[in-house]
């Protein structure tokens, strides 16, 4: 049993296809099968079942896949830290983020971190949902992910940073624009720009709407991110229910008013990592810098 055998096996379990893994690795399907068969011979039980649409792990396969994935995550992190030590403390911090994360949550922190750690590269990988950020942490050589926090995810540690209230974005000429806030039931019947499908924030809102008995007349298509929802609201194509993002109420949207919706539960955002204690010192320093800037900004907004 080799590390390559385990890596290929985990990839097969996640892809559900021998041929897909072969294409990704640039080898033959037969070579991928050999890795799986070698593991099966060593453990003495079948690890995958071949079906019409690909392969799925057996019960034994799921046990091995979970253990192998967790073990390799720890090993990858250890190797990263050893590489950082070999480079004299430089290296890189690799972060998975949503499309608007850096702009709203990290801009000032990035500037401060670059000044204090000039030898460290910051590398951002854009993902379209928290779920894809979790997957990226598991499948790629990443340190951190900035996510909307939700249910526990196996093999990932989540750390809350800031709780965001919700606001309704309306044009300045809208009949609601002069209000100090909006009640939850007043959202019923409004044409609401849909947040990204399959996103945690969308699921959070949909669940709350159901609990409050709110029926909204959403737009036919959902948008890619919060900023696009705000843009469409500014163009008069609907109202947008979005988190009260840092800097949202500044001079950047003179055509809009942002009205608090107190009935909607706070949305929690923060960090995710495979193993927090195994992060390199520079990755922890970057996470701490972003956290401090976010909490300071929220405290100022509450003053």
């Amino acid at each position: 049993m080799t590390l390559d055998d385990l890596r290929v096996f985990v990839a097969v379990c996640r892809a559900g296809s021998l041929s897909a893994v072969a294409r990704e690795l640039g080898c033959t399907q037969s070579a991928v099968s050999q890795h799986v068969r070698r593991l099966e011979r060593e453990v003495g039980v079948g690890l995958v079942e071949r079906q019409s649409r690909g392969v799925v792990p057996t019960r034994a396969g799921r046990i091995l896949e979970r253990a192998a994935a967790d073990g390799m995550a720890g090993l990858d992190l250890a190797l990263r830290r050893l590489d950082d030590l070999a480079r004299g403390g430089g290296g890189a911090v690799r972060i998975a983020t949503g499309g608007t994360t850096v702009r709203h949550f990290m801009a000032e922190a990035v500037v401060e971190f670059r000044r204090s750690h000039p030898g460290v590269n910051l590398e951002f990988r854009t993902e379209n949902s928290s779920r894809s950020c979790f997957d990226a942490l598991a499948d790629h050589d990443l340190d951190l992910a900035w996510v909307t926090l939700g249910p526990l995810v196996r093999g990932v540690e989540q750390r809350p940073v800031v709780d965001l209230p919700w606001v309704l974005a309306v044009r300045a000429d809208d009949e609601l624009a002069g209000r100090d806030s909006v009640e939850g039931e007043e959202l019923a019947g409004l044409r609401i720009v849909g947040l990204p499908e399959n996103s945690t924030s969308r699921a959070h809102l949909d669940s709350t709407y159901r609990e409050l008995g709110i029926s909204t007349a959403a737009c036919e298509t959902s948008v890619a991110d919060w900023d696009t929802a705000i843009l469409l609201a500014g163009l008069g194509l609907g109202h947008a229910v979005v988190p009260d993002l840092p800097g949202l109420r500044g001079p950047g949207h003179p055509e809009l008013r942002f009205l608090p919706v107190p009935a909607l539960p706070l949305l929690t955002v923060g960090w995710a990592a495979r193993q927090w204690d195994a992060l390199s010192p520079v990755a922890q320093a970057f996470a701490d810098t972003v956290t401090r800037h976010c909490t300071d900004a929220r405290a100022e907004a509450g003053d």
Side-chain angles (χ1 to χ4, degrees):
M1 182 185 301
T2 68
L3 185 58
D4 283 344
D5 292 337
L6 292 171
R7 288 191 185 278
V8 171
F9 172 67
V10 170
V12 167
C13 290
R14 290 177 174 168
S17 168
L18 297 172
S19 59
V21 174
R23 288 194 298 271
E24 181 179 346
L25 298 178
C27 64
T28 65
Q29 183 171 326
S30 175
V32 173
S33 296
Q34 288 177 15
H35 285 286
V36 176
R37 285 199 297 269
R38 184 158 49 235
L39 286 175
E40 290 178 326
R41 285 196 301 269
E42 293 203 27
V43 300
V45 293
L47 298 175
V48 297
E49 295 177 351
R50 288 159 177 80
Q51 299 181 348
S52 58
R53 292 190 173 184
V55 297
V56 296
T58 63
R59 181 181 178 186
R62 288 194 296 272
I63 293 173
L64 181 61
E65 187 271 334
R66 284 195 295 268
D70 291 344
M72 287 188 297
L75 178 60
D76 288 342
L77 287 170
L79 292 174
R80 282 285 309 282
R81 295 197 65 177
L82 291 174
D83 183 60
D84 287 341
L85 289 173
R87 293 171 180 266
V93 181
R94 298 174 176 86
I95 310 106
T97 71
T100 63
T101 295
V102 176
R103 174 187 173 190
H104 289 295
F105 298 102
M106 299 185 185
E108 293 182 1
V110 167
V111 173
E112 178 183 329
F113 182 83
R114 291 300 301 273
R115 288 173 178 166
S116 58
H117 297 80
V120 178
N121 292 324
L122 292 175
E123 301 175 8
F124 295 94
R125 176 189 174 95
T126 302
E127 300 290 344
N128 58 14
S129 69
S130 294
R131 178 68 262 177
S132 61
C133 283
F134 294 138
D135 292 340
L137 277 177
D139 294 339
H140 299 279
D141 189 20
L142 298 174
D143 299 292
L144 297 159
W146 182 265
V147 297
T148 301
L149 270 64
L152 296 177
V153 177
R154 182 178 60 83
V156 174
E157 298 180 18
Q158 301 182 53
R159 291 198 172 188
V161 172
V162 64
D163 294 323
L164 302 173
W166 293 88
V167 293
L168 179 70
V170 303
R171 285 182 56 86
D173 56 2
D174 190 281
E175 61 181 12
L176 295 173
R179 301 279 298 275
D180 293 329
S181 63
V182 175
E183 300 298 328
E185 57 268 20
E186 292 182 281
L187 299 177
L190 293 180
R191 185 174 176 81
I192 303 294
V193 178
L195 295 185
E197 293 183 2
N198 302 319
S199 67
T200 304
S201 56
R202 172 70 173 267
H204 181 100
L205 266 187
D206 289 346
S207 175
T208 301
Y209 288 158
R210 288 192 296 269
E211 292 175 3
L212 297 176
I214 297 173
S215 175
T216 59
C219 294
E220 293 181 0
T221 58
S222 59
V223 296
D225 52 52
W226 297 329
D227 279 352
T228 306
I230 294 168
L231 173 63
L232 293 183
L235 294 174
L237 299 181
H239 301 79
V241 178
V242 294
D244 192 3
L245 302 167
L248 190 63
R249 298 170 183 268
H253 303 285
E255 77 285 3
L256 289 173
R257 301 291 180 268
F258 297 97
L259 311 179
V261 189
L264 301 181
L266 301 176
L267 187 74
T268 303
V269 297
W271 288 114
R274 287 177 292 186
Q275 290 179 269
W276 195 268
D277 291 340
L279 288 174
S280 67
V282 290
Q284 292 186 359
F286 179 72
D288 291 343
T289 302
V290 173
T291 296
R292 176 165 46 79
H293 276 272
C294 285
T295 53
D296 288 350
R298 179 50 57 190
E300 292 176 4
D303 289 341

PDB file of all heavy atoms in Angstrom, residues 258-271:
ATOM      1  N   PHE A 258     -30.387  51.196   2.155  1.00  0.00           N
ATOM      2  CA  PHE A 258     -30.283  49.862   2.744  1.00  0.00           C
ATOM      3  C   PHE A 258     -31.044  49.857   4.070  1.00  0.00           C
ATOM      4  O   PHE A 258     -30.622  50.474   5.047  1.00  0.00           O
ATOM      5  CB  PHE A 258     -28.813  49.478   2.947  1.00  0.00           C
ATOM      6  CG  PHE A 258     -28.049  49.392   1.663  1.00  0.00           C
ATOM      7  CD1 PHE A 258     -27.280  50.472   1.219  1.00  0.00           C
ATOM      8  CD2 PHE A 258     -28.107  48.251   0.878  1.00  0.00           C
ATOM      9  CE1 PHE A 258     -26.581  50.402   0.018  1.00  0.00           C
ATOM     10  CE2 PHE A 258     -27.403  48.174  -0.325  1.00  0.00           C
ATOM     11  CZ  PHE A 258     -26.651  49.243  -0.750  1.00  0.00           C
ATOM     12  N   LEU A 259     -32.170  49.144   4.092  1.00  0.00           N
ATOM     13  CA  LEU A 259     -33.075  49.155   5.227  1.00  0.00           C
ATOM     14  C   LEU A 259     -32.912  47.875   6.039  1.00  0.00           C
ATOM     15  O   LEU A 259     -33.044  46.764   5.499  1.00  0.00           O
ATOM     16  CB  LEU A 259     -34.522  49.266   4.744  1.00  0.00           C
ATOM     17  CG  LEU A 259     -34.806  50.366   3.710  1.00  0.00           C
ATOM     18  CD1 LEU A 259     -36.273  50.320   3.310  1.00  0.00           C
ATOM     19  CD2 LEU A 259     -34.442  51.734   4.264  1.00  0.00           C
ATOM     20  N   PRO A 260     -32.629  47.975   7.338  1.00  0.00           N
ATOM     21  CA  PRO A 260     -32.505  46.773   8.162  1.00  0.00           C
ATOM     22  C   PRO A 260     -33.792  45.951   8.152  1.00  0.00           C
ATOM     23  O   PRO A 260     -34.901  46.501   8.100  1.00  0.00           O
ATOM     24  CB  PRO A 260     -32.220  47.345   9.555  1.00  0.00           C
ATOM     25  CG  PRO A 260     -31.674  48.717   9.316  1.00  0.00           C
ATOM     26  CD  PRO A 260     -32.366  49.220   8.088  1.00  0.00           C
ATOM     27  N   VAL A 261     -33.608  44.616   8.205  1.00  0.00           N
ATOM     28  CA  VAL A 261     -34.745  43.692   8.313  1.00  0.00           C
ATOM     29  C   VAL A 261     -34.520  42.890   9.595  1.00  0.00           C
ATOM     30  O   VAL A 261     -33.964  41.790   9.570  1.00  0.00           O
ATOM     31  CB  VAL A 261     -34.845  42.765   7.090  1.00  0.00           C
ATOM     32  CG1 VAL A 261     -36.162  41.975   7.137  1.00  0.00           C
ATOM     33  CG2 VAL A 261     -34.753  43.556   5.787  1.00  0.00           C
ATOM     34  N   PRO A 262     -34.935  43.419  10.762  1.00  0.00           N
ATOM     35  CA  PRO A 262     -34.600  42.788  12.041  1.00  0.00           C
ATOM     36  C   PRO A 262     -35.152  41.383  12.212  1.00  0.00           C
ATOM     37  O   PRO A 262     -34.618  40.604  13.015  1.00  0.00           O
ATOM     38  CB  PRO A 262     -35.223  43.753  13.070  1.00  0.00           C
ATOM     39  CG  PRO A 262     -35.393  45.045  12.339  1.00  0.00           C
ATOM     40  CD  PRO A 262     -35.670  44.681  10.926  1.00  0.00           C
ATOM     41  N   ALA A 263     -36.205  41.024  11.479  1.00  0.00           N
ATOM     42  CA  ALA A 263     -36.820  39.702  11.651  1.00  0.00           C
ATOM     43  C   ALA A 263     -35.945  38.573  11.124  1.00  0.00           C
ATOM     44  O   ALA A 263     -36.156  37.406  11.491  1.00  0.00           O
ATOM     45  CB  ALA A 263     -38.180  39.662  10.953  1.00  0.00           C
ATOM     46  N   LEU A 264     -34.979  38.882  10.274  1.00  0.00           N
ATOM     47  CA  LEU A 264     -34.140  37.845   9.682  1.00  0.00           C
ATOM     48  C   LEU A 264     -32.945  37.560  10.593  1.00  0.00           C
ATOM     49  O   LEU A 264     -32.226  38.480  10.984  1.00  0.00           O
ATOM     50  CB  LEU A 264     -33.642  38.285   8.300  1.00  0.00           C
ATOM     51  CG  LEU A 264     -34.734  38.595   7.273  1.00  0.00           C
ATOM     52  CD1 LEU A 264     -34.106  38.996   5.942  1.00  0.00           C
ATOM     53  CD2 LEU A 264     -35.669  37.415   7.084  1.00  0.00           C
ATOM     54  N   PRO A 265     -32.704  36.293  10.937  1.00  0.00           N
ATOM     55  CA  PRO A 265     -31.585  35.944  11.823  1.00  0.00           C
ATOM     56  C   PRO A 265     -30.245  36.343  11.214  1.00  0.00           C
ATOM     57  O   PRO A 265     -30.079  36.371   9.992  1.00  0.00           O
ATOM     58  CB  PRO A 265     -31.696  34.422  11.967  1.00  0.00           C
ATOM     59  CG  PRO A 265     -33.096  34.088  11.571  1.00  0.00           C
ATOM     60  CD  PRO A 265     -33.493  35.116  10.551  1.00  0.00           C
ATOM     61  N   LEU A 266     -29.292  36.649  12.074  1.00  0.00           N
ATOM     62  CA  LEU A 266     -27.964  37.050  11.624  1.00  0.00           C
ATOM     63  C   LEU A 266     -27.307  35.955  10.788  1.00  0.00           C
ATOM     64  O   LEU A 266     -27.538  34.761  11.004  1.00  0.00           O
ATOM     65  CB  LEU A 266     -27.077  37.377  12.821  1.00  0.00           C
ATOM     66  CG  LEU A 266     -27.564  38.501  13.745  1.00  0.00           C
ATOM     67  CD1 LEU A 266     -26.625  38.639  14.934  1.00  0.00           C
ATOM     68  CD2 LEU A 266     -27.659  39.824  12.994  1.00  0.00           C
ATOM     69  N   LEU A 267     -26.481  36.379   9.838  1.00  0.00           N
ATOM     70  CA  LEU A 267     -25.707  35.466   9.004  1.00  0.00           C
ATOM     71  C   LEU A 267     -24.267  35.477   9.508  1.00  0.00           C
ATOM     72  O   LEU A 267     -23.636  36.538   9.558  1.00  0.00           O
ATOM     73  CB  LEU A 267     -25.758  35.903   7.542  1.00  0.00           C
ATOM     74  CG  LEU A 267     -25.121  34.952   6.525  1.00  0.00           C
ATOM     75  CD1 LEU A 267     -26.013  33.727   6.322  1.00  0.00           C
ATOM     76  CD2 LEU A 267     -24.890  35.660   5.187  1.00  0.00           C
ATOM     77  N   THR A 268     -23.741  34.320   9.866  1.00  0.00           N
ATOM     78  CA  THR A 268     -22.384  34.241  10.426  1.00  0.00           C
ATOM     79  C   THR A 268     -21.389  33.859   9.345  1.00  0.00           C
ATOM     80  O   THR A 268     -21.587  32.880   8.623  1.00  0.00           O
ATOM     81  CB  THR A 268     -22.331  33.204  11.562  1.00  0.00           C
ATOM     82  OG1 THR A 268     -23.285  33.560  12.562  1.00  0.00           O
ATOM     83  CG2 THR A 268     -20.941  33.175  12.189  1.00  0.00           C
ATOM     84  N   VAL A 269     -20.324  34.632   9.239  1.00  0.00           N
ATOM     85  CA  VAL A 269     -19.257  34.337   8.286  1.00  0.00           C
ATOM     86  C   VAL A 269     -17.951  34.194   9.051  1.00  0.00           C
ATOM     87  O   VAL A 269     -17.795  34.710  10.164  1.00  0.00           O
ATOM     88  CB  VAL A 269     -19.131  35.425   7.202  1.00  0.00           C
ATOM     89  CG1 VAL A 269     -20.400  35.512   6.371  1.00  0.00           C
ATOM     90  CG2 VAL A 269     -18.832  36.784   7.835  1.00  0.00           C
ATOM     91  N   GLY A 270     -17.006  33.483   8.456  1.00  0.00           N
ATOM     92  CA  GLY A 270     -15.732  33.298   9.140  1.00  0.00           C
ATOM     93  C   GLY A 270     -14.824  32.341   8.391  1.00  0.00           C
ATOM     94  O   GLY A 270     -14.977  32.125   7.184  1.00  0.00           O
ATOM     95  N   TRP A 271     -13.909  31.749   9.132  1.00  0.00           N
ATOM     96  CA  TRP A 271     -12.858  30.927   8.543  1.00  0.00           C
ATOM     97  C   TRP A 271     -13.186  29.437   8.608  1.00  0.00           C
ATOM     98  O   TRP A 271     -13.891  28.986   9.510  1.00  0.00           O
ATOM     99  CB  TRP A 271     -11.535  31.150   9.274  1.00  0.00           C
ATOM    100  CG  TRP A 271     -10.892  32.467   9.018  1.00  0.00           C
ATOM    101  CD1 TRP A 271     -10.683  33.477   9.915  1.00  0.00           C
ATOM    102  CD2 TRP A 271     -10.370  32.923   7.765  1.00  0.00           C
ATOM    103  NE1 TRP A 271     -10.064  34.530   9.300  1.00  0.00           N
ATOM    104  CE2 TRP A 271      -9.853  34.219   7.979  1.00  0.00           C
ATOM    105  CE3 TRP A 271     -10.290  32.368   6.488  1.00  0.00           C
ATOM    106  CZ2 TRP A 271      -9.266  34.968   6.974  1.00  0.00           C
ATOM    107  CZ3 TRP A 271      -9.704  33.107   5.482  1.00  0.00           C
ATOM    108  CH2 TRP A 271      -9.196  34.397   5.720  1.00  0.00           C
TER     109      TRP A 271
END
